[in-house]
Amino acid sequence: GESVGLHLPTLSVQEGDNSIINCAYSNSASDYFIWYKQESGKGPQFIIDIRSNMDKRQGQRVTVLLNKTVKHLSLQIAATQPGDSAVYFCAESASGGGADGLTFGKGTHLIIQP
Amino acid sequence: NAGVTQTPKFRVLKTGQSMTLLCAQDMNHEYMYWYRQDPGMGLRLIHYSVGEGTTAKGEVPDGYNVSRLKKQNFLLGLESAAPSQTSVYFCASSLWRTTDTQYFGPGTRLTVL
């Protein structure tokens, strides 16, 4: 079965509001997590990553939070813009794990309402 | 620096035909991957390569073959296409380990009739 999943397949937010996209993982050995953004008709684009020795990491308008206790990952997007509309995937991996590398979730579709 | 490029962008095949998808990267990455993406599903790994001259099976390798004759290129072949192989195919590369950040190409949309 899939070890990485998302709580909501679609998230609709108002332009200018903050967005929070959630991800649950089941492999307690996972120690590296990535968020990707995929716009319609394009390949996944790296947004931000975090390793298990951190709880929080910030980028430009994005923050990733990692809660290892409950195996939960979230992506926060501040002041969402129309260009943020996309499908967001989380991915996980265990550095000591097998050669399969990253395991991807199915994705959350973020819709920005004007 | 073009990153990861894929050719072709679109292709329509008839059942039983063969084709090769080409992936190229100019980032000097060691690892390269082929994924397929189907509606409502995440990315599934078909094959990957940990360096020039090497290939390995991923989660869904059946019906596909790959070759990595040059470090910068990774080819995905379908010897006898089936409708079940209708999908969007993405190539990716990473610097070293499979657990490093992977950078993706724009995708190839393949339809098998």
Side-chain angles (χ1 to χ4, degrees):
Chain A
E2 188 166 289
S3 66
V4 177
L6 298 169
H7 294 310
L8 296 174
T10 301
L11 176 65
S12 182
V13 299
Q14 293 288 329
E15 182 178 348
D17 287 352
N18 297 335
S19 302
I20 299 177
I21 301 171
N22 296 304
C23 181
Y25 64 96
S26 59
N27 185 358
S28 58
S30 292
D31 58 4
Y32 180 56
F33 305 88
I34 306 175
W35 280 101
Y36 285 92
K37 172 186 180 183
Q38 186 176 23
E39 297 175 271
S40 181
K42 297 183 179 180
Q45 177 186 4
F46 171 85
I47 303 174
I48 192 168
D49 60 359
I50 188 168
R51 298 198 181 271
S52 58
N53 60 349
M54 301 174 69
D55 297 323
K56 178 180 179 179
R57 192 167 187 213
Q58 289 184 291
Q60 187 177 10
R61 280 201 308 118
V62 294
T63 300
V64 55
L65 298 177
L66 176 63
N67 186 330
K68 296 180 287 292
T69 302
V70 295
K71 299 189 187 70
H72 184 268
L73 187 71
S74 68
L75 176 70
Q76 300 179 2
I77 304 174
T80 50
Q81 304 167 358
D84 294 329
S85 288
V87 175
Y88 291 81
F89 294 93
C90 61
E92 58 158 330
S93 71
S95 56
D100 284 358
L102 296 174
T103 300
F104 291 87
K106 290 186 172 60
T108 292
H109 187 192
L110 179 64
I111 299 171
I112 310 302
Q113 305 280 3
Chain B
N1 190 333
V4 180
T5 58
Q6 293 181 232
T7 52
K9 288 185 169 52
F10 303 93
R11 186 72 185 268
V12 178
L13 291 177
K14 294 181 179 179
T15 297
Q17 288 185 318
S18 63
M19 78 163 295
T20 300
L21 282 65
L22 172 63
C23 175
Q25 53 94 5
D26 60 2
M27 297 176 283
N28 202 33
H29 284 175
E30 290 293 331
Y31 287 62
M32 296 186 74
Y33 316 82
W34 275 107
Y35 292 90
R36 60 178 290 172
Q37 186 178 45
D38 300 295
M41 300 187 69
L43 293 155
R44 292 185 292 169
L45 183 65
I46 304 171
H47 285 282
Y48 64 98
S49 168
V50 302
E52 182 178 317
T54 74
T55 63
K57 294 180 180 179
E59 178 186 357
V60 289
D62 294 342
Y64 305 95
N65 58 75
V66 288
S67 63
R68 183 100 181 267
L69 299 180
K70 293 183 179 180
K71 183 178 182 179
Q72 63 269 33
N73 296 336
F74 195 30
L75 278 63
L76 178 70
L78 286 73
E79 290 188 348
S80 180
S84 61
Q85 294 178 304
T86 294
S87 188
V88 180
Y89 292 84
F90 289 101
C91 177
S93 70
S94 63
L95 182 60
W96 291 111
R97 301 172 304 172
T98 58
T99 49
D100 284 339
T101 302
Q102 295 181 20
Y103 297 90
F104 286 81
T108 295
R109 184 173 294 276
L110 174 66
T111 300
V112 182
L113 303 176

